Amino acid sequence: MLKIYNTLSREKEVFTPKVEGKVGMYVCGMTVYDYCHIGHARVMVVFDIVARYLRYSGYDLTYVRNVTDIDDKIIQRANENKEEISELTERFIDAMHEDERELSVLPPDIEPRATKSMDDIILMITALFEKGLAYTGSNGDVFYAVDKFANYGALSGKKLDELQAGERVDVNLAKKNPFDFVLWKKSKVDEPYWNSPWGRGRPGWHIECSAMATRCLGHHFDIHGGGMDLQFPHHENEIAQSEGATGEKFVNVWMHNGFVRINEEKMSKSLGNFFTVREVLKQYRAEIVRFFVLSSHYRSPLNYSDEQLDDAGSAVTRLYTALRGVVVATDVQATDYTLRFKQAMDDDFNTAVAVAVLFDMARELNKIKNNDVELAAQLAAELKELSSVLGILQDDPDEFLKTADGTQDSGLAEQAIEALIAQRIAAKKNKDWALADKIRDDLKAQGIVLEDVATGTSWRYE
RNA sequence: GGCUACUUAGCAAAACGGUUAUGCAGUGGAUUGCAAAUCCAUCUACGGCGGUUCGACUCCGCCAGUAGCCUCCA
């Protein structure tokens, strides 16, 4: 029985989809004016695992993750780069897809874009006008009148009269209420625009998600996710727009993942303390980054440091080492491990506990792999299947262990390493321990570790 | 100022009202020519003060600290 923490109720709830056996999930994706950083990677990986687990549990899932490809920052960045907006956004969408593939994030079923959803956006704003929830401000922008929506603040636990207007941003005098937000922004000269009943302009930040989500999944659907920082105002505003326009409940379960931090501080573009995915992947292999993300619960903060990533590397190495040299059975038989794994994942996607189950399996595998080949093959198959739900451990163990990451490539070809190992074996036969140890030490100095196992000598990068 | 979380051993990270988390590191042992890998054993915990309870890391209250949100942000 799957339980999910719902931000709306602030408790774990038993998950019951709207339509039995089917799930619609929408996740707020990227605004594409720069490379993805590790915080974005966390969103991608976390909801990828949610999607994988829902499917593993037998649900027919439709997973939608949008791309916001028009907004003020995009316009600004394109101007700075003296680049066409579409050129800029295409470039970063491609980069995002590359990062995603690297991290073994399966693509969402639908990836709608704001610029390709203008009809839906305009229709929704029109509906909001009809319901008396939208108005045109003195500057020509169209705003949402938050005090007309009774439930405003329900998701983020905020009350309009307790919010501090103008705390960080000057109050826009064109609005009736400082917390009203833009639905349609009138375009200035030289700015891109779409035609609308309210003149040439572009959508405000929040409306595109409401429009795309309801178009792809219907007015009312099961799960909506995103980073913690989107809770307010983005998701709050999405609810106001969608429910205001359709008159129906928008989303049953709201999921928010915690931040990636650096030195106990949120990683963010505005603080400038972020690492891009591609920077990190130069140093650490993608699977290690992925393991790092799922080693803690998705709602907890995740502190980024080299030490943490190194630990993740050791952990993944241990799992692959357990699988090394084991034939994997073709059919999977679920044992108590699968049960424990499911219990962990059913408890609000507790990947930390799920991973602990994998380590218990690895320990048993290490114990039996040299004396019960058949049982080992079955256990390995089960381990690989459960790991696949987390999107890890799908490579050939030798492939993983013999691949250097960015910092440790010795430049030695595999054949050269194998030749040295052969020399060492010959030296060992002659009991020339000095030579044997020298070969081993020399390789070690280049980051290559030799391991004399039952079947011969294995090697791996440290 | 309002609101929301969090605080676990050397580091990271979970669960649970009474029973081993797990990974890395440490210590002892097995194994090894010596190592490595592996296995076995083992040391370091639950921010502080109260309360509820036969019993609390786990529930409640207060205090302290940390982080986040209060129209840039995943």
Side-chain angles (χ1 to χ4, degrees):
Chain A
M1 197 170 56
L2 175 61
K3 286 186 178 177
I4 305 179
Y5 181 88
N6 189 353
T7 307
L8 206 52
S9 63
R10 299 195 185 273
E11 37 189 48
K12 285 182 201 170
E13 296 173 352
V14 173
F15 177 65
T16 314
K18 228 186 109 203
V19 178
E20 204 186 325
K22 293 196 177 208
V23 179
M25 175 164 82
Y26 183 94
V27 172
C28 285
M30 262 50 82
T31 300
V32 282
Y33 65 94
D34 209 338
Y35 292 113
C36 291
H37 60 59
I38 293 298
H40 299 118
R42 189 176 194 191
V43 180
M44 294 198 279
V45 169
V46 161
F47 287 100
D48 180 52
I49 289 169
V50 169
R52 286 173 189 247
Y53 188 65
L54 288 170
R55 294 205 166 103
Y56 174 77
S57 303
Y59 291 109
D60 176 12
L61 170 72
T62 305
Y63 175 22
V64 181
R65 195 188 59 210
N66 75 290
V67 171
T68 295
D69 58 353
I70 181 69
D71 93 320
D72 290 2
K73 290 201 165 171
I74 291 174
I75 295 170
Q76 193 192 332
R77 183 62 61 90
N79 285 339
E80 284 166 14
N81 290 359
K82 298 190 169 47
E83 187 177 16
E84 286 297 317
I85 286 173
S86 60
E87 222 173 279
L88 176 92
T89 55
E90 287 301 329
R91 203 151 58 80
F92 286 117
I93 288 169
D94 288 347
M96 175 183 81
H97 287 153
E98 271 175 38
D99 292 344
E100 210 178 352
R101 279 195 295 275
E102 283 288 311
L103 292 168
S104 302
V105 169
L106 301 172
D109 298 297
I110 310 175
E111 193 175 62
R113 297 189 190 180
T115 55
K116 293 179 179 165
S117 311
M118 284 304 157
D119 292 349
D120 303 290
I121 289 170
I122 288 168
L123 275 174
M124 186 169 267
I125 300 174
T126 305
L128 290 171
F129 263 104
E130 284 166 3
K131 301 268 171 79
L133 292 164
Y135 65 92
T136 306
S138 56
N139 62 354
D141 290 353
V142 176
F143 295 102
Y144 188 104
V146 291
D147 49 13
K148 297 265 170 60
F149 185 74
N151 261 333
Y152 194 80
L155 177 69
S156 54
K158 299 192 185 306
K159 298 192 177 79
L160 276 173
D161 51 6
E162 282 172 358
L163 291 170
Q164 289 196 16
E167 173 77 14
R168 296 188 325 193
V169 173
D170 288 341
V171 173
N172 181 341
L173 298 173
K175 299 175 183 179
K176 290 179 179 166
N177 179 312
F179 296 105
D180 290 349
F181 55 91
V182 180
L183 293 167
W184 190 259
K185 196 162 185 169
K186 200 176 165 182
S187 61
K188 301 193 186 94
V189 207
D190 292 339
E191 281 182 349
Y193 65 84
W194 285 261
N195 288 312
S196 83
W198 321 284
R200 291 173 166 185
R202 62 179 183 274
W205 173 34
H206 317 289
I207 190 70
E208 88 280 18
C209 278
S210 286
M212 290 187 277
T214 51
R215 182 189 72 215
C216 296
L217 296 170
H219 292 174
H220 177 198
F221 58 93
D222 300 295
I223 301 174
H224 190 131
M228 209 88 110
D229 46 0
L230 297 184
Q231 227 175 86
F232 189 92
H234 186 58
H235 289 160
E236 198 70 63
N237 292 352
E238 271 190 61
I239 294 173
Q241 291 164 337
S242 305
E243 299 194 354
T246 68
E248 294 173 48
K249 182 166 172 95
F250 180 41
V251 167
N252 285 344
V253 182
W254 285 90
M255 291 180 69
H256 293 99
N257 65 275
F259 298 126
V260 176
R261 294 192 203 164
I262 292 183
N263 298 325
E264 304 304 319
E265 186 179 54
K266 177 184 172 184
M267 174 187 287
S268 77
K269 288 188 187 172
S270 51
L271 288 169
N273 62 347
F274 62 90
F275 293 107
T276 63
V277 172
R278 44 200 57 211
E279 278 173 323
V280 172
L281 289 181
K282 281 182 194 156
Q283 205 182 341
Y284 296 99
R285 277 176 283 181
E287 190 164 356
I288 289 169
V289 176
R290 190 171 167 110
F291 186 92
F292 163 68
V293 169
L294 57 86
S295 61
S296 75
H297 187 85
Y298 75 91
R299 282 189 280 118
S300 306
L302 182 59
N303 213 42
Y304 181 94
S305 70
D306 284 350
E307 195 190 357
Q308 292 265 43
L309 270 291
D310 290 341
D311 276 2
S314 306
V316 176
T317 299
R318 177 169 163 81
L319 292 173
Y320 270 119
T321 303
L323 282 170
R324 183 172 59 183
V326 177
V327 178
V328 181
T330 44
D331 61 318
V332 178
Q333 292 180 19
T335 68
D336 192 48
Y337 290 119
T338 296
L339 188 70
R340 283 172 57 203
F341 181 89
K342 284 185 184 172
Q343 277 170 353
M345 293 299 282
D346 275 345
D347 184 15
D348 196 29
F349 308 100
N350 195 331
T351 50
V353 172
V355 165
V357 175
L358 303 187
F359 281 105
D360 286 346
M361 296 176 86
R363 174 173 293 114
E364 186 176 344
L365 195 50
N366 281 327
K367 269 194 259 191
I368 64 169
K369 67 180 177 185
N370 291 324
N371 46 43
D372 191 338
V373 177
E374 208 163 299
L375 189 59
Q378 278 181 14
L379 188 56
E382 191 180 7
L383 174 57
K384 285 201 80 162
E385 181 177 81
L386 297 181
S387 301
S388 76
V389 178
L390 302 178
I392 56 171
L393 232 56
Q394 299 306 297
D395 280 353
D396 176 68
D398 270 324
E399 190 70 27
F400 179 89
L401 295 168
K402 292 180 178 177
T403 303
D405 69 26
T407 56
Q408 59 187 182
D409 195 348
S410 65
L412 275 181
E414 266 192 46
Q415 291 95 321
I417 297 169
E418 297 291 353
L420 287 167
I421 289 173
Q423 279 179 36
R424 177 166 167 275
I425 288 171
K428 276 175 50 162
K429 243 185 195 157
N430 296 333
K431 297 204 190 287
D432 185 353
W433 307 127
L435 178 60
D437 291 351
K438 184 180 184 317
I439 292 170
R440 189 173 61 198
D441 293 346
D442 286 352
L443 283 170
K444 172 95 162 114
Q446 301 188 71
I448 294 160
V449 182
L450 298 191
E451 289 165 4
D452 294 336
V453 292
T455 49
T457 296
S458 298
W459 65 273
R460 64 179 167 89
Y461 274 97
E462 214 168 5

